[in-house]
Amino acid sequence: MSTHIGIGGWTYEPWRATFYPPKHPQKRELEYAGEHLTGIEINGTYYGSQKPESFANWAASVPDGFKFSVKASRFCTNRKILADGAASVEKFLTQGLTRLGDRLGPILWQFMATKKFERDDFARFLDLLPECQDGLPLRHALEVRHESFRDAAFVDLARERNAAIVFADSDEFPCIDEQTADFTYARLQRSTDDVATGYDDGALDHWAGRAREWAANGRTAYVFFISGAKVRNPAAAQALLARLQPSG
């Protein structure tokens, strides 16, 4: 079973009192997160380009086997006609993210809640997403947030391209529970502040079971605790990791 469990980003002031040890150097927070989690979703790339050296430094800060997912630029996905985004997609993919090397996990393409499914345009958008970049294989995860995507045509398009439909457990957005790729990408967004681990034992047991299902038959599962009570997400990720450790 191959799973990567983590959080969104690693720089968040409240974590300095709840996740990182007291007086832990801020410049070594990623190193610490890499020792206690197995994945991180990089969100800063959604808002702007990063330097190639930054990706290389991030890769060097985490151990073998750790994976980063990278959230695609909003300029790729927040547009009326997705197929017109070729230049933005190219700019995003060539900013240096392949400097992550074997630490590179899936790329997350997140769409606005107002974006409706239009089959032909979405198919043309998927045509813009390459299978590799700089010789490095790419995996693509699609987070759609409008009910119109509950459409067999969308599921078929994703499956044809080996693109994962993100399993988004959220109070705000639809959850499309379909396996369309050789990996699974889940974003769990219901952590609560009144539980030290964000989720109670029953919920964590449930997600451990789902993670095992998602990682079955040779697939890899990426599970990120996002939003909700953000301060609790590192504890939630660690609690889930503990449940997935081999017994004995």
Side-chain angles (χ1 to χ4, degrees), residues 107-156:
I107 295 171
L108 172 65
W109 305 88
Q110 184 187 82
F111 300 87
M112 296 178 67
T114 54
K115 186 61 182 176
K116 298 179 181 180
F117 178 54
E118 298 175 20
R119 188 201 178 281
D120 291 345
D121 184 40
F122 207 86
R124 291 169 62 204
F125 171 79
L126 292 178
D127 288 340
L128 302 178
L129 310 185
E131 294 182 1
C132 64
Q133 181 71 34
D134 302 329
L136 199 64
L138 298 182
R139 283 175 157 175
H140 301 288
L142 311 171
E143 185 175 22
V144 295
R145 294 178 153 189
H146 192 275
E147 286 288 347
S148 61
F149 282 88
R150 291 189 190 277
D151 188 318
F154 169 58
V155 175
D156 289 344

mmCIF file of all heavy atoms in Angstrom, residues 107-156:
data_model
loop_
_atom_site.group_PDB
_atom_site.id
_atom_site.type_symbol
_atom_site.label_atom_id
_atom_site.label_comp_id
_atom_site.label_asym_id
_atom_site.label_seq_id
_atom_site.Cartn_x
_atom_site.Cartn_y
_atom_site.Cartn_z
ATOM 1 N N ILE A 107 -0.143 17.143 -9.873
ATOM 2 C CA ILE A 107 -0.483 18.552 -10.031
ATOM 3 C C ILE A 107 -1.983 18.694 -9.823
ATOM 4 O O ILE A 107 -2.778 17.951 -10.406
ATOM 5 C CB ILE A 107 -0.078 19.064 -11.420
ATOM 6 C CG1 ILE A 107 1.444 19.023 -11.566
ATOM 7 C CG2 ILE A 107 -0.588 20.488 -11.645
ATOM 8 C CD1 ILE A 107 1.938 19.313 -12.957
ATOM 9 N N LEU A 108 -2.361 19.619 -8.955
ATOM 10 C CA LEU A 108 -3.775 19.846 -8.634
ATOM 11 C C LEU A 108 -4.311 21.005 -9.461
ATOM 12 O O LEU A 108 -3.848 22.141 -9.341
ATOM 13 C CB LEU A 108 -3.920 20.161 -7.143
ATOM 14 C CG LEU A 108 -5.310 20.600 -6.682
ATOM 15 C CD1 LEU A 108 -6.322 19.468 -6.854
ATOM 16 C CD2 LEU A 108 -5.273 21.077 -5.233
ATOM 17 N N TRP A 109 -5.299 20.712 -10.306
ATOM 18 C CA TRP A 109 -5.970 21.732 -11.114
ATOM 19 C C TRP A 109 -7.330 21.987 -10.476
ATOM 20 O O TRP A 109 -8.240 21.165 -10.558
ATOM 21 C CB TRP A 109 -6.117 21.248 -12.557
ATOM 22 C CG TRP A 109 -4.802 20.845 -13.183
ATOM 23 C CD1 TRP A 109 -4.209 19.610 -13.127
ATOM 24 C CD2 TRP A 109 -3.926 21.681 -13.936
ATOM 25 N NE1 TRP A 109 -3.020 19.632 -13.799
ATOM 26 C CE2 TRP A 109 -2.810 20.887 -14.313
ATOM 27 C CE3 TRP A 109 -3.955 23.025 -14.329
ATOM 28 C CZ2 TRP A 109 -1.740 21.388 -15.060
ATOM 29 C CZ3 TRP A 109 -2.901 23.519 -15.084
ATOM 30 C CH2 TRP A 109 -1.821 22.713 -15.437
ATOM 31 N N GLN A 110 -7.444 23.124 -9.803
ATOM 32 C CA GLN A 110 -8.666 23.452 -9.063
ATOM 33 C C GLN A 110 -9.478 24.503 -9.831
ATOM 34 O O GLN A 110 -8.940 25.523 -10.253
ATOM 35 C CB GLN A 110 -8.317 23.997 -7.679
ATOM 36 C CG GLN A 110 -9.526 24.283 -6.807
ATOM 37 C CD GLN A 110 -9.114 24.986 -5.521
ATOM 38 O OE1 GLN A 110 -8.923 26.190 -5.491
ATOM 39 N NE2 GLN A 110 -8.950 24.206 -4.450
ATOM 40 N N PHE A 111 -10.774 24.231 -9.982
ATOM 41 C CA PHE A 111 -11.652 25.099 -10.758
ATOM 42 C C PHE A 111 -12.614 25.848 -9.837
ATOM 43 O O PHE A 111 -12.989 25.363 -8.771
ATOM 44 C CB PHE A 111 -12.410 24.280 -11.797
ATOM 45 C CG PHE A 111 -11.497 23.581 -12.761
ATOM 46 C CD1 PHE A 111 -10.974 22.330 -12.461
ATOM 47 C CD2 PHE A 111 -11.100 24.192 -13.942
ATOM 48 C CE1 PHE A 111 -10.092 21.696 -13.327
ATOM 49 C CE2 PHE A 111 -10.219 23.569 -14.810
ATOM 50 C CZ PHE A 111 -9.716 22.326 -14.497
ATOM 51 N N MET A 112 -13.014 27.022 -10.266
ATOM 52 C CA MET A 112 -13.919 27.846 -9.473
ATOM 53 C C MET A 112 -15.275 27.158 -9.310
ATOM 54 O O MET A 112 -15.695 26.371 -10.162
ATOM 55 C CB MET A 112 -14.102 29.204 -10.147
ATOM 56 C CG MET A 112 -12.831 30.032 -10.228
ATOM 57 S SD MET A 112 -13.103 31.611 -11.089
ATOM 58 C CE MET A 112 -14.192 32.434 -9.903
ATOM 59 N N ALA A 113 -15.954 27.502 -8.225
ATOM 60 C CA ALA A 113 -17.260 26.913 -7.963
ATOM 61 C C ALA A 113 -18.295 27.311 -9.008
ATOM 62 O O ALA A 113 -19.310 26.637 -9.176
ATOM 63 C CB ALA A 113 -17.738 27.317 -6.568
ATOM 64 N N THR A 114 -18.047 28.391 -9.727
ATOM 65 C CA THR A 114 -18.974 28.858 -10.757
ATOM 66 C C THR A 114 -18.689 28.226 -12.125
ATOM 67 O O THR A 114 -19.471 28.429 -13.056
ATOM 68 C CB THR A 114 -18.884 30.386 -10.900
ATOM 69 O OG1 THR A 114 -17.519 30.763 -11.129
ATOM 70 C CG2 THR A 114 -19.387 31.061 -9.630
ATOM 71 N N LYS A 115 -17.592 27.481 -12.226
ATOM 72 C CA LYS A 115 -17.223 26.891 -13.522
ATOM 73 C C LYS A 115 -18.071 25.660 -13.800
ATOM 74 O O LYS A 115 -18.012 24.669 -13.083
ATOM 75 C CB LYS A 115 -15.730 26.518 -13.531
ATOM 76 C CG LYS A 115 -15.236 26.035 -14.891
ATOM 77 C CD LYS A 115 -15.393 27.115 -15.937
ATOM 78 C CE LYS A 115 -14.947 26.661 -17.307
ATOM 79 N NZ LYS A 115 -15.192 27.698 -18.332
ATOM 80 N N LYS A 116 -18.857 25.732 -14.872
ATOM 81 C CA LYS A 116 -19.735 24.626 -15.247
ATOM 82 C C LYS A 116 -19.037 23.705 -16.249
ATOM 83 O O LYS A 116 -18.123 24.112 -16.959
ATOM 84 C CB LYS A 116 -21.036 25.161 -15.848
ATOM 85 C CG LYS A 116 -21.859 26.003 -14.888
ATOM 86 C CD LYS A 116 -23.134 26.519 -15.561
ATOM 87 C CE LYS A 116 -23.945 27.383 -14.617
ATOM 88 N NZ LYS A 116 -25.187 27.899 -15.273
ATOM 89 N N PHE A 117 -19.499 22.479 -16.289
ATOM 90 C CA PHE A 117 -18.925 21.491 -17.201
ATOM 91 C C PHE A 117 -19.408 21.723 -18.623
ATOM 92 O O PHE A 117 -20.607 21.721 -18.894
ATOM 93 C CB PHE A 117 -19.309 20.080 -16.746
ATOM 94 C CG PHE A 117 -18.810 18.997 -17.660
ATOM 95 C CD1 PHE A 117 -17.463 18.912 -18.001
ATOM 96 C CD2 PHE A 117 -19.687 18.060 -18.191
ATOM 97 C CE1 PHE A 117 -17.005 17.914 -18.851
ATOM 98 C CE2 PHE A 117 -19.237 17.050 -19.027
ATOM 99 C CZ PHE A 117 -17.895 16.980 -19.360
ATOM 100 N N GLU A 118 -18.470 21.942 -19.511
ATOM 101 C CA GLU A 118 -18.721 22.006 -20.946
ATOM 102 C C GLU A 118 -17.772 21.007 -21.587
ATOM 103 O O GLU A 118 -16.559 21.230 -21.632
ATOM 104 C CB GLU A 118 -18.482 23.422 -21.472
ATOM 105 C CG GLU A 118 -19.410 24.459 -20.862
ATOM 106 C CD GLU A 118 -19.075 25.881 -21.300
ATOM 107 O OE1 GLU A 118 -18.394 26.030 -22.333
ATOM 108 O OE2 GLU A 118 -19.477 26.820 -20.590
ATOM 109 N N ARG A 119 -18.330 19.927 -22.098
ATOM 110 C CA ARG A 119 -17.498 18.787 -22.463
ATOM 111 C C ARG A 119 -16.382 19.143 -23.446
ATOM 112 O O ARG A 119 -15.218 18.796 -23.228
ATOM 113 C CB ARG A 119 -18.359 17.664 -23.055
ATOM 114 C CG ARG A 119 -17.549 16.394 -23.274
ATOM 115 C CD ARG A 119 -18.128 15.435 -24.273
ATOM 116 N NE ARG A 119 -17.243 14.287 -24.427
ATOM 117 C CZ ARG A 119 -16.130 14.296 -25.154
ATOM 118 N NH1 ARG A 119 -15.755 15.405 -25.795
ATOM 119 N NH2 ARG A 119 -15.377 13.220 -25.239
ATOM 120 N N ASP A 120 -16.712 19.779 -24.539
ATOM 121 C CA ASP A 120 -15.709 20.028 -25.578
ATOM 122 C C ASP A 120 -14.590 20.927 -25.072
ATOM 123 O O ASP A 120 -13.402 20.678 -25.337
ATOM 124 C CB ASP A 120 -16.361 20.643 -26.820
ATOM 125 C CG ASP A 120 -17.271 19.652 -27.542
ATOM 126 O OD1 ASP A 120 -17.166 18.442 -27.253
ATOM 127 O OD2 ASP A 120 -18.076 20.094 -28.377
ATOM 128 N N ASP A 121 -14.962 21.972 -24.338
ATOM 129 C CA ASP A 121 -13.937 22.874 -23.814
ATOM 130 C C ASP A 121 -13.060 22.157 -22.801
ATOM 131 O O ASP A 121 -11.831 22.325 -22.794
ATOM 132 C CB ASP A 121 -14.597 24.097 -23.179
ATOM 133 C CG ASP A 121 -13.582 25.124 -22.696
ATOM 134 O OD1 ASP A 121 -12.580 25.351 -23.414
ATOM 135 O OD2 ASP A 121 -13.770 25.691 -21.610
ATOM 136 N N PHE A 122 -13.671 21.338 -21.946
ATOM 137 C CA PHE A 122 -12.883 20.651 -20.934
ATOM 138 C C PHE A 122 -11.961 19.621 -21.587
ATOM 139 O O PHE A 122 -10.808 19.435 -21.151
ATOM 140 C CB PHE A 122 -13.784 19.980 -19.903
ATOM 141 C CG PHE A 122 -13.133 19.821 -18.562
ATOM 142 C CD1 PHE A 122 -13.168 20.846 -17.629
ATOM 143 C CD2 PHE A 122 -12.455 18.654 -18.230
ATOM 144 C CE1 PHE A 122 -12.541 20.716 -16.399
ATOM 145 C CE2 PHE A 122 -11.825 18.513 -17.012
ATOM 146 C CZ PHE A 122 -11.871 19.548 -16.093
ATOM 147 N N ALA A 123 -12.449 18.957 -22.620
ATOM 148 C CA ALA A 123 -11.600 17.997 -23.332
ATOM 149 C C ALA A 123 -10.398 18.704 -23.948
ATOM 150 O O ALA A 123 -9.262 18.194 -23.903
ATOM 151 C CB ALA A 123 -12.414 17.281 -24.411
ATOM 152 N N ARG A 124 -10.623 19.870 -24.508
ATOM 153 C CA ARG A 124 -9.517 20.620 -25.110
ATOM 154 C C ARG A 124 -8.545 21.113 -24.041
ATOM 155 O O ARG A 124 -7.332 21.179 -24.275
ATOM 156 C CB ARG A 124 -10.072 21.793 -25.914
ATOM 157 C CG ARG A 124 -10.823 21.371 -27.189
ATOM 158 C CD ARG A 124 -11.565 22.533 -27.806
ATOM 159 N NE ARG A 124 -10.638 23.601 -28.214
ATOM 160 C CZ ARG A 124 -10.992 24.870 -28.342
ATOM 161 N NH1 ARG A 124 -12.241 25.250 -28.068
ATOM 162 N NH2 ARG A 124 -10.105 25.772 -28.730
ATOM 163 N N PHE A 125 -9.078 21.446 -22.861
ATOM 164 C CA PHE A 125 -8.191 21.814 -21.757
ATOM 165 C C PHE A 125 -7.307 20.627 -21.362
ATOM 166 O O PHE A 125 -6.087 20.782 -21.176
ATOM 167 C CB PHE A 125 -9.000 22.288 -20.551
ATOM 168 C CG PHE A 125 -8.171 22.479 -19.310
ATOM 169 C CD1 PHE A 125 -7.395 23.612 -19.150
ATOM 170 C CD2 PHE A 125 -8.163 21.512 -18.304
ATOM 171 C CE1 PHE A 125 -6.614 23.786 -18.015
ATOM 172 C CE2 PHE A 125 -7.389 21.683 -17.168
ATOM 173 C CZ PHE A 125 -6.616 22.820 -17.023
ATOM 174 N N LEU A 126 -7.898 19.453 -21.242
ATOM 175 C CA LEU A 126 -7.108 18.276 -20.872
ATOM 176 C C LEU A 126 -6.025 17.984 -21.915
ATOM 177 O O LEU A 126 -4.960 17.462 -21.572
ATOM 178 C CB LEU A 126 -8.022 17.061 -20.686
ATOM 179 C CG LEU A 126 -8.981 17.118 -19.494
ATOM 180 C CD1 LEU A 126 -9.861 15.876 -19.452
ATOM 181 C CD2 LEU A 126 -8.222 17.277 -18.185
ATOM 182 N N ASP A 127 -6.288 18.343 -23.160
ATOM 183 C CA ASP A 127 -5.279 18.171 -24.204
ATOM 184 C C ASP A 127 -4.036 19.023 -23.939
ATOM 185 O O ASP A 127 -2.957 18.737 -24.483
ATOM 186 C CB ASP A 127 -5.851 18.542 -25.578
ATOM 187 C CG ASP A 127 -6.850 17.527 -26.096
ATOM 188 O OD1 ASP A 127 -6.840 16.378 -25.607
ATOM 189 O OD2 ASP A 127 -7.648 17.887 -26.989
ATOM 190 N N LEU A 128 -4.183 20.078 -23.150
ATOM 191 C CA LEU A 128 -3.059 20.968 -22.844
ATOM 192 C C LEU A 128 -2.143 20.394 -21.771
ATOM 193 O O LEU A 128 -1.032 20.909 -21.586
ATOM 194 C CB LEU A 128 -3.573 22.332 -22.360
ATOM 195 C CG LEU A 128 -4.501 23.115 -23.294
ATOM 196 C CD1 LEU A 128 -4.946 24.412 -22.611
ATOM 197 C CD2 LEU A 128 -3.802 23.429 -24.607
ATOM 198 N N LEU A 129 -2.576 19.358 -21.082
ATOM 199 C CA LEU A 129 -1.827 18.824 -19.947
ATOM 200 C C LEU A 129 -0.936 17.675 -20.403
ATOM 201 O O LEU A 129 -1.430 16.608 -20.758
ATOM 202 C CB LEU A 129 -2.783 18.341 -18.852
ATOM 203 C CG LEU A 129 -3.872 19.336 -18.421
ATOM 204 C CD1 LEU A 129 -4.659 18.770 -17.247
ATOM 205 C CD2 LEU A 129 -3.284 20.699 -18.081
ATOM 206 N N PRO A 130 0.379 17.865 -20.404
ATOM 207 C CA PRO A 130 1.282 16.838 -20.916
ATOM 208 C C PRO A 130 1.445 15.664 -19.959
ATOM 209 O O PRO A 130 1.191 15.781 -18.750
ATOM 210 C CB PRO A 130 2.601 17.592 -21.089
ATOM 211 C CG PRO A 130 2.543 18.666 -20.048
ATOM 212 C CD PRO A 130 1.090 19.078 -19.970
ATOM 213 N N GLU A 131 1.888 14.551 -20.490
ATOM 214 C CA GLU A 131 2.156 13.377 -19.677
ATOM 215 C C GLU A 131 3.511 13.466 -18.982
ATOM 216 O O GLU A 131 3.762 12.737 -18.013
ATOM 217 C CB GLU A 131 2.089 12.110 -20.530
ATOM 218 C CG GLU A 131 0.702 11.819 -21.079
ATOM 219 C CD GLU A 131 0.659 10.526 -21.875
ATOM 220 O OE1 GLU A 131 1.716 9.860 -21.984
ATOM 221 O OE2 GLU A 131 -0.422 10.178 -22.387
ATOM 222 N N CYS A 132 4.383 14.343 -19.484
ATOM 223 C CA CYS A 132 5.677 14.530 -18.832
ATOM 224 C C CYS A 132 6.180 15.939 -19.092
ATOM 225 O O CYS A 132 5.707 16.621 -20.011
ATOM 226 C CB CYS A 132 6.690 13.486 -19.304
ATOM 227 S SG CYS A 132 7.103 13.602 -21.054
ATOM 228 N N GLN A 133 7.110 16.369 -18.267
ATOM 229 C CA GLN A 133 7.724 17.685 -18.393
ATOM 230 C C GLN A 133 9.201 17.531 -18.047
ATOM 231 O O GLN A 133 9.539 16.971 -17.004
ATOM 232 C CB GLN A 133 7.051 18.681 -17.440
ATOM 233 C CG GLN A 133 7.594 20.096 -17.506
ATOM 234 C CD GLN A 133 7.202 20.805 -18.795
ATOM 235 O OE1 GLN A 133 6.114 20.577 -19.327
ATOM 236 N NE2 GLN A 133 8.078 21.655 -19.290
ATOM 237 N N ASP A 134 10.066 17.990 -18.924
ATOM 238 C CA ASP A 134 11.511 17.867 -18.709
ATOM 239 C C ASP A 134 11.913 16.427 -18.408
ATOM 240 O O ASP A 134 12.813 16.167 -17.595
ATOM 241 C CB ASP A 134 11.957 18.780 -17.554
ATOM 242 C CG ASP A 134 11.603 20.238 -17.799
ATOM 243 O OD1 ASP A 134 11.574 20.649 -18.970
ATOM 244 O OD2 ASP A 134 11.352 20.954 -16.814
ATOM 245 N N GLY A 135 11.238 15.498 -19.064
ATOM 246 C CA GLY A 135 11.538 14.088 -18.882
ATOM 247 C C GLY A 135 10.958 13.465 -17.627
ATOM 248 O O GLY A 135 11.162 12.271 -17.372
ATOM 249 N N LEU A 136 10.208 14.242 -16.845
ATOM 250 C CA LEU A 136 9.628 13.753 -15.594
ATOM 251 C C LEU A 136 8.144 13.467 -15.811
ATOM 252 O O LEU A 136 7.406 14.338 -16.277
ATOM 253 C CB LEU A 136 9.806 14.814 -14.509
ATOM 254 C CG LEU A 136 9.685 14.397 -13.046
ATOM 255 C CD1 LEU A 136 10.802 13.420 -12.675
ATOM 256 C CD2 LEU A 136 9.738 15.622 -12.141
ATOM 257 N N PRO A 137 7.687 12.261 -15.483
ATOM 258 C CA PRO A 137 6.260 11.949 -15.656
ATOM 259 C C PRO A 137 5.391 12.855 -14.789
ATOM 260 O O PRO A 137 5.759 13.187 -13.659
ATOM 261 C CB PRO A 137 6.152 10.487 -15.202
ATOM 262 C CG PRO A 137 7.541 9.947 -15.304
ATOM 263 C CD PRO A 137 8.452 11.101 -14.999
ATOM 264 N N LEU A 138 4.238 13.246 -15.320
ATOM 265 C CA LEU A 138 3.304 14.095 -14.585
ATOM 266 C C LEU A 138 2.012 13.340 -14.305
ATOM 267 O O LEU A 138 1.556 12.550 -15.129
ATOM 268 C CB LEU A 138 2.979 15.359 -15.388
ATOM 269 C CG LEU A 138 4.126 16.317 -15.717
ATOM 270 C CD1 LEU A 138 3.587 17.530 -16.472
ATOM 271 C CD2 LEU A 138 4.866 16.749 -14.461
ATOM 272 N N ARG A 139 1.425 13.629 -13.152
ATOM 273 C CA ARG A 139 0.100 13.134 -12.819
ATOM 274 C C ARG A 139 -0.797 14.347 -12.598
ATOM 275 O O ARG A 139 -0.367 15.338 -11.998
ATOM 276 C CB ARG A 139 0.147 12.281 -11.538
ATOM 277 C CG ARG A 139 0.706 10.886 -11.742
ATOM 278 C CD ARG A 139 0.833 10.165 -10.420
ATOM 279 N NE ARG A 139 0.842 8.715 -10.597
ATOM 280 C CZ ARG A 139 1.031 7.844 -9.607
ATOM 281 N NH1 ARG A 139 1.222 8.286 -8.369
ATOM 282 N NH2 ARG A 139 1.020 6.550 -9.836
ATOM 283 N N HIS A 140 -2.030 14.249 -13.052
ATOM 284 C CA HIS A 140 -2.942 15.383 -12.983
ATOM 285 C C HIS A 140 -4.187 15.026 -12.169
ATOM 286 O O HIS A 140 -4.808 13.986 -12.397
ATOM 287 C CB HIS A 140 -3.346 15.816 -14.392
ATOM 288 C CG HIS A 140 -2.182 16.200 -15.249
ATOM 289 N ND1 HIS A 140 -1.465 17.361 -15.055
ATOM 290 C CD2 HIS A 140 -1.584 15.559 -16.294
ATOM 291 C CE1 HIS A 140 -0.496 17.435 -15.956
ATOM 292 N NE2 HIS A 140 -0.541 16.357 -16.705
ATOM 293 N N ALA A 141 -4.537 15.910 -11.227
ATOM 294 C CA ALA A 141 -5.735 15.748 -10.406
ATOM 295 C C ALA A 141 -6.662 16.930 -10.657
ATOM 296 O O ALA A 141 -6.217 18.079 -10.705
ATOM 297 C CB ALA A 141 -5.366 15.667 -8.927
ATOM 298 N N LEU A 142 -7.946 16.653 -10.824
ATOM 299 C CA LEU A 142 -8.927 17.653 -11.214
ATOM 300 C C LEU A 142 -9.911 17.890 -10.069
ATOM 301 O O LEU A 142 -10.679 16.989 -9.695
ATOM 302 C CB LEU A 142 -9.694 17.183 -12.453
ATOM 303 C CG LEU A 142 -8.841 16.661 -13.624
ATOM 304 C CD1 LEU A 142 -9.736 16.026 -14.691
ATOM 305 C CD2 LEU A 142 -8.001 17.786 -14.214
ATOM 306 N N GLU A 143 -9.887 19.110 -9.508
ATOM 307 C CA GLU A 143 -10.847 19.443 -8.451
ATOM 308 C C GLU A 143 -11.907 20.377 -9.019
ATOM 309 O O GLU A 143 -11.668 21.568 -9.218
ATOM 310 C CB GLU A 143 -10.176 20.098 -7.245
ATOM 311 C CG GLU A 143 -11.185 20.308 -6.110
ATOM 312 C CD GLU A 143 -10.555 20.837 -4.832
ATOM 313 O OE1 GLU A 143 -9.462 21.427 -4.896
ATOM 314 O OE2 GLU A 143 -11.175 20.655 -3.764
ATOM 315 N N VAL A 144 -13.064 19.804 -9.300
ATOM 316 C CA VAL A 144 -14.174 20.568 -9.864
ATOM 317 C C VAL A 144 -15.163 20.872 -8.743
ATOM 318 O O VAL A 144 -15.310 20.101 -7.795
ATOM 319 C CB VAL A 144 -14.851 19.794 -11.003
ATOM 320 C CG1 VAL A 144 -13.872 19.623 -12.162
ATOM 321 C CG2 VAL A 144 -15.339 18.426 -10.542
ATOM 322 N N ARG A 145 -15.870 22.011 -8.858
ATOM 323 C CA ARG A 145 -16.659 22.482 -7.732
ATOM 324 C C ARG A 145 -18.070 22.913 -8.136
ATOM 325 O O ARG A 145 -18.682 23.713 -7.445
ATOM 326 C CB ARG A 145 -15.918 23.647 -7.061
ATOM 327 C CG ARG A 145 -14.605 23.214 -6.416
ATOM 328 C CD ARG A 145 -13.852 24.371 -5.796
ATOM 329 N NE ARG A 145 -13.015 23.927 -4.708
ATOM 330 C CZ ARG A 145 -12.365 24.746 -3.875
ATOM 331 N NH1 ARG A 145 -12.469 26.058 -4.019
ATOM 332 N NH2 ARG A 145 -11.620 24.269 -2.908
ATOM 333 N N HIS A 146 -18.554 22.389 -9.237
ATOM 334 C CA HIS A 146 -19.911 22.716 -9.679
ATOM 335 C C HIS A 146 -20.661 21.413 -9.943
ATOM 336 O O HIS A 146 -20.098 20.445 -10.470
ATOM 337 C CB HIS A 146 -19.869 23.566 -10.955
ATOM 338 C CG HIS A 146 -21.196 24.179 -11.304
ATOM 339 N ND1 HIS A 146 -22.163 23.498 -12.020
ATOM 340 C CD2 HIS A 146 -21.728 25.397 -11.025
ATOM 341 C CE1 HIS A 146 -23.223 24.267 -12.178
ATOM 342 N NE2 HIS A 146 -22.990 25.424 -11.584
ATOM 343 N N GLU A 147 -21.944 21.394 -9.578
ATOM 344 C CA GLU A 147 -22.741 20.171 -9.687
ATOM 345 C C GLU A 147 -22.843 19.642 -11.113
ATOM 346 O O GLU A 147 -23.096 18.462 -11.330
ATOM 347 C CB GLU A 147 -24.149 20.422 -9.123
ATOM 348 C CG GLU A 147 -24.207 20.510 -7.610
ATOM 349 C CD GLU A 147 -24.014 19.167 -6.922
ATOM 350 O OE1 GLU A 147 -24.082 18.132 -7.609
ATOM 351 O OE2 GLU A 147 -23.776 19.161 -5.705
ATOM 352 N N SER A 148 -22.635 20.509 -12.088
ATOM 353 C CA SER A 148 -22.756 20.062 -13.483
ATOM 354 C C SER A 148 -21.707 19.026 -13.850
ATOM 355 O O SER A 148 -21.849 18.321 -14.864
ATOM 356 C CB SER A 148 -22.652 21.260 -14.428
ATOM 357 O OG SER A 148 -21.396 21.904 -14.303
ATOM 358 N N PHE A 149 -20.669 18.893 -13.022
ATOM 359 C CA PHE A 149 -19.631 17.898 -13.307
ATOM 360 C C PHE A 149 -20.051 16.491 -12.890
ATOM 361 O O PHE A 149 -19.314 15.535 -13.153
ATOM 362 C CB PHE A 149 -18.321 18.289 -12.625
ATOM 363 C CG PHE A 149 -17.560 19.370 -13.358
ATOM 364 C CD1 PHE A 149 -17.819 20.708 -13.098
ATOM 365 C CD2 PHE A 149 -16.611 19.052 -14.312
ATOM 366 C CE1 PHE A 149 -17.126 21.714 -13.769
ATOM 367 C CE2 PHE A 149 -15.919 20.039 -14.994
ATOM 368 C CZ PHE A 149 -16.185 21.376 -14.729
ATOM 369 N N ARG A 150 -21.203 16.374 -12.266
ATOM 370 C CA ARG A 150 -21.738 15.032 -11.991
ATOM 371 C C ARG A 150 -22.310 14.499 -13.305
ATOM 372 O O ARG A 150 -23.529 14.385 -13.494
ATOM 373 C CB ARG A 150 -22.823 15.083 -10.925
ATOM 374 C CG ARG A 150 -22.328 15.430 -9.538
ATOM 375 C CD ARG A 150 -23.438 15.245 -8.522
ATOM 376 N NE ARG A 150 -23.112 15.762 -7.213
ATOM 377 C CZ ARG A 150 -22.413 15.114 -6.289
ATOM 378 N NH1 ARG A 150 -21.959 13.892 -6.545
ATOM 379 N NH2 ARG A 150 -22.161 15.662 -5.113
ATOM 380 N N ASP A 151 -21.432 14.193 -14.202
ATOM 381 C CA ASP A 151 -21.802 13.844 -15.571
ATOM 382 C C ASP A 151 -20.895 12.702 -16.022
ATOM 383 O O ASP A 151 -19.669 12.782 -15.878
ATOM 384 C CB ASP A 151 -21.613 15.086 -16.460
ATOM 385 C CG ASP A 151 -22.147 14.910 -17.874
ATOM 386 O OD1 ASP A 151 -21.933 13.835 -18.470
ATOM 387 O OD2 ASP A 151 -22.752 15.867 -18.390
ATOM 388 N N ALA A 152 -21.496 11.670 -16.577
ATOM 389 C CA ALA A 152 -20.699 10.526 -17.023
ATOM 390 C C ALA A 152 -19.661 10.938 -18.061
ATOM 391 O O ALA A 152 -18.583 10.332 -18.144
ATOM 392 C CB ALA A 152 -21.618 9.452 -17.588
ATOM 393 N N ALA A 153 -19.968 11.966 -18.826
ATOM 394 C CA ALA A 153 -19.016 12.418 -19.843
ATOM 395 C C ALA A 153 -17.748 12.968 -19.194
ATOM 396 O O ALA A 153 -16.640 12.770 -19.716
ATOM 397 C CB ALA A 153 -19.661 13.491 -20.720
ATOM 398 N N PHE A 154 -17.884 13.658 -18.064
ATOM 399 C CA PHE A 154 -16.716 14.160 -17.351
ATOM 400 C C PHE A 154 -15.897 13.001 -16.786
ATOM 401 O O PHE A 154 -14.662 12.971 -16.915
ATOM 402 C CB PHE A 154 -17.142 15.101 -16.228
ATOM 403 C CG PHE A 154 -16.036 15.457 -15.271
ATOM 404 C CD1 PHE A 154 -14.870 16.056 -15.737
ATOM 405 C CD2 PHE A 154 -16.146 15.175 -13.923
ATOM 406 C CE1 PHE A 154 -13.833 16.374 -14.854
ATOM 407 C CE2 PHE A 154 -15.123 15.496 -13.039
ATOM 408 C CZ PHE A 154 -13.965 16.086 -13.514
ATOM 409 N N VAL A 155 -16.568 12.053 -16.187
ATOM 410 C CA VAL A 155 -15.872 10.893 -15.629
ATOM 411 C C VAL A 155 -15.124 10.153 -16.731
ATOM 412 O O VAL A 155 -13.965 9.744 -16.562
ATOM 413 C CB VAL A 155 -16.866 9.967 -14.912
ATOM 414 C CG1 VAL A 155 -16.170 8.700 -14.423
ATOM 415 C CG2 VAL A 155 -17.520 10.693 -13.736
ATOM 416 N N ASP A 156 -15.758 9.986 -17.875
ATOM 417 C CA ASP A 156 -15.114 9.298 -18.992
ATOM 418 C C ASP A 156 -13.879 10.057 -19.481
ATOM 419 O O ASP A 156 -12.844 9.457 -19.775
ATOM 420 C CB ASP A 156 -16.099 9.125 -20.149
ATOM 421 C CG ASP A 156 -17.178 8.097 -19.847
ATOM 422 O OD1 ASP A 156 -17.009 7.315 -18.901
ATOM 423 O OD2 ASP A 156 -18.201 8.092 -20.566
#
